[in-house]
Amino acid sequence: MDSFEYNINPSRVVFGIGSVNKLPEEIKKLGCSSPLVLTSKGQNGMLHGDLLTEVLSKCSMSAAATLNMAVMHTPVPVTEAALQQLKAQAADCIVSIGGGSVVGLGKALSIRTGLQHVCIPTTYSGSEMTPILGETDKGKKTTRSNPKILPDVVIYDANLTKSLPVAICSISGINAIAHAVEALYAKNTNPITNLLALEGIKKLAEALPAIARDPSDLSAREGAQYGAWLCGVVLGTSAMALHHKLCHTLGGSLNLPHAETHTVVLAHALAYNAPAIPEQMEKIASVLPDSDGDAIKGLNIFLDKLGVSRALKDFGMQEEDIDKATDIAMSMQYANPRAMERDSIRELIRRAWSGESAKADV
């Protein structure tokens, strides 16, 4: 066996239906008593804030404040506005509840203040399990990694995903799958990461179609949450490559929605790298239904079965943006199993823009 290194991230995980009710106990274990609660903008964010108010009140605890202001791509101006409100409160920790945007804001505030962070994810983004923070400022997205960015406690409760629409379940779950796929061919891949990645892909490949068939299937939603947790762990311990590079380029520069962009790009990025990773392609095919040993075929069928949009133009990307995105992608070199070839990368982006099926011929 080849030598390898594997870093275990130290988050505490509380998993299970009804686990949100353990929040006050977890806050006390951190030595805290007055959390700042973060949610997203809109009705869902308000409902999440109300839920945590009720949970905390049952244990004679209350939030220092609730901020319903998280938006996608964690814009620095939003973080700075939240930071000013945080400083005006007597908060001694941060609790974020929601999807990746809320988790991102929680991370951004935690790393700036040193406050401990309890995260309650309601989607399958996996961000809660990574020491990575992506932020946008003036149209440019940057990422940084620091162990202190990792949330201190993560509470998984599938009950909180029951209201998540099937369409959002699908794209959020595919986003999680993308983390695991890239980990299999990352420059720092190792046997432990591979096990977690393949199990995560398998669980999500089983759970997402089940949710699509019966949105009330709580067992399937719990399975998807478990798979997303594994994929998030993988993301937090692996170096990402072409897929995430393109998604950061497209999302941060063109303001495209995060999970939708990952959903569209995944099969195309995998097809681009396919000639350089035959062993990994076999492993991916082994955990995808209907693949017949062909990972690209299996992934195309899986995406079509879920009925997700496969065209970036559906989310506002213009045809003239293809060259701009190519230029940005080529200017930011990541480690990738296949060398970055401009014409082929442009064709990959064009296919993702138009909504064509992925093919390993670029």
Side-chain angles (χ1 to χ4, degrees):
M1 180 179 291
D2 294 335
S3 299
F4 65 90
E5 296 180 1
Y6 179 68
N7 295 313
I8 299 175
N9 288 329
S11 280
R12 170 175 165 79
V13 173
V14 181
F15 189 98
I17 293 172
S19 291
V20 70
N21 293 303
K22 298 178 181 179
L23 174 62
E25 177 185 348
E26 294 302 321
I27 291 174
K28 290 177 181 177
K29 285 180 179 178
L30 295 176
C32 301
S33 61
S34 184
L36 177 77
V37 173
L38 303 175
T39 75
S40 61
K41 285 186 174 182
Q43 185 65 26
N44 279 343
M46 293 177 65
L47 291 173
H48 288 149
D50 290 343
L51 170 64
L52 294 196
T53 296
E54 180 181 349
V55 168
L56 292 171
S57 67
K58 290 178 180 178
C59 294
S60 302
M61 188 180 290
S62 61
T66 298
L67 304 184
N68 310 95
M69 59 191 303
V71 294
M72 68 178 183
H73 302 310
T74 317
V76 170
V78 172
T79 299
E80 291 174 345
L83 185 60
Q84 291 303 311
Q85 295 196 49
L86 170 60
K87 290 178 179 178
Q89 308 299 327
D92 55 11
C93 65
I94 296 165
V95 175
S96 61
I97 179 169
S101 298
V102 185
V103 176
L105 179 57
K107 288 178 171 181
L109 292 176
S110 176
I111 193 64
R112 284 168 168 80
T113 62
L115 292 180
Q116 296 177 97
H117 180 194
V118 180
C119 181
I120 309 172
T122 63
T123 68
Y124 309 131
S125 73
S127 175
E128 68 278 358
M129 295 307 300
T130 77
I132 302 166
L133 173 61
E135 299 178 285
T136 53
D137 193 19
K138 298 177 181 178
K140 183 177 181 181
K141 186 165 187 175
T142 59
T143 59
R144 53 174 162 155
S145 181
N146 186 320
K148 294 180 180 179
I149 291 173
L150 190 73
D152 299 275
V153 180
V154 180
I155 298 175
Y156 288 105
D157 186 340
N159 272 330
L160 301 181
T161 72
K162 288 194 295 186
S163 62
L164 194 65
V166 168
I168 304 300
C169 286
S170 295
I171 60 174
S172 183
I174 295 165
N175 180 23
I177 288 173
H179 307 331
V181 166
E182 283 228 308
L184 291 170
Y185 56 74
K187 64 180 181 180
N188 61 342
T189 190
N190 62 74
I192 308 304
T193 296
N194 287 349
L195 288 172
L196 295 173
L198 291 171
E199 179 69 3
I201 296 170
K202 181 180 178 182
K203 288 297 183 183
L204 283 161
E206 294 170 349
L208 297 181
I211 294 171
R213 290 191 298 269
D214 180 6
S216 67
D217 187 341
L218 191 57
S219 177
R221 287 180 179 269
E222 190 171 36
Q225 198 169 51
Y226 174 65
W229 169 20
L230 297 180
C231 292
V233 172
V234 164
L235 174 64
T237 57
S238 301
M240 295 290 102
L242 175 63
H243 169 85
H244 283 75
K245 174 179 182 176
L246 289 177
C247 290
H248 288 166
T249 296
L250 295 165
S253 302
L254 304 178
N255 198 35
L256 300 181
H258 181 81
E260 290 88 342
T261 302
H262 279 266
T263 296
V264 173
V265 170
L266 175 57
H268 296 286
L270 184 61
Y272 179 90
N273 280 327
I277 53 170
E279 292 183 9
Q280 291 89 337
M281 295 297 287
E282 289 182 10
K283 291 178 180 178
I284 295 168
S286 72
V287 293
L288 287 176
D290 307 310
S291 69
D292 295 327
D294 182 338
I296 299 303
K297 174 185 176 182
L299 195 50
N300 278 326
I301 292 174
F302 178 66
L303 295 172
D304 290 342
K305 185 185 298 182
L306 292 177
V308 294
S309 176
R310 303 192 61 183
L312 292 176
K313 64 182 180 182
D314 293 344
F315 305 109
M317 182 177 176
Q318 305 298 310
E319 188 170 10
E320 55 265 30
D321 291 330
I322 294 173
D323 285 319
K324 175 185 176 181
T326 303
D327 289 341
I328 297 173
M330 294 302 297
S331 70
M332 300 166 56
Q333 294 298 316
Y334 282 25
N336 193 64
R338 178 181 169 186
M340 299 281 286
E341 302 165 13
R342 181 183 172 81
D343 289 346
S344 295
I345 293 296
R346 187 190 187 282
E347 176 61 10
L348 184 166
I349 295 173
R350 187 200 66 76
R351 290 179 180 180
W353 169 80
S354 68
E356 299 174 22
S357 292
K359 295 182 290 185
D361 62 353
V362 292

